[in-house]
Amino acid sequence: MFEGFTLQRVDVGEVQLRVRYGGAGPAVLLLHGHPRTHVTWHKVAPLLAERFTVVCPDLRGYGKSSKPPTTPDHRPYSKRAMAGDCAALMKTIGHQRFCVAGHDRGLYVALRLAMDHPGCLSRLCLMEGIPIGEALARCDAKFAASWYHWFFFGQVQRPAERFINADPGAWYTATAEHMGQEAYEDYRRAIYNPTRSTPCCLTVCGPARRRTAA
């Protein structure tokens, strides 16, 4: 995967991020969703690298990036904290201005990046996500049945971690056929590592919580 790309850990202040980057041209930052890692971009990144410098980090708490201790207000795992990491990352590796594309939970990090650091961005691409306020406005019994895990993550009396960590592979249903063998192995290493935790970002029923994730 990622032939010709550089893989390293970059210190961005509060945390170190596992980052893969390569190519030449204007910079593009790609932000993965939950429960994945940066390797979710392994087919897209080489194509973009023909025209752009492509940067793919593991967000804090995911994959092999740092997992700082949380606080009662969960600030260390907020989208603002993750967006700050990304801004610092790009500056550290020499990109003052760049494009950003976010998928799933990475979409919300990209949006926060645009709101908090607008001077850094030349383009913004948001994929497969909607504002949580919009989700709540549409929420009904059908939605709750289809997206039961959102509500499950939000409650605090019986933490979701116990159930997810009992069998992460059953909870997160990905396949090597779908992802590619190398990407799948990276993903599996992450979800079965009990030290790799991240917040249940933007649940609809309660405060952000931490859970095992890639």
Side-chain angles (χ1 to χ4, degrees), residues 2-7 20-28 44-56 93 95:
F2 295 97
E3 184 176 353
F5 278 61
T6 297
L7 177 64
R20 206 179 301 249
Y21 58 90
V28 178
V44 173
L47 298 177
L48 290 175
E50 295 175 4
R51 297 175 54 198
F52 301 94
T53 298
V54 182
V55 182
C56 307
I93 62 177
H95 303 291

Side-chain angles (χ1 to χ4, degrees), residues 42-72:
H42 72 282
K43 292 185 177 180
V44 173
L47 298 177
L48 290 175
E50 295 175 4
R51 297 175 54 198
F52 301 94
T53 298
V54 182
V55 182
C56 307
D58 288 349
L59 296 170
R60 66 162 67 192
Y62 291 78
K64 293 184 179 179
S65 288
S66 298
K67 179 182 68 66
T70 193
T71 58

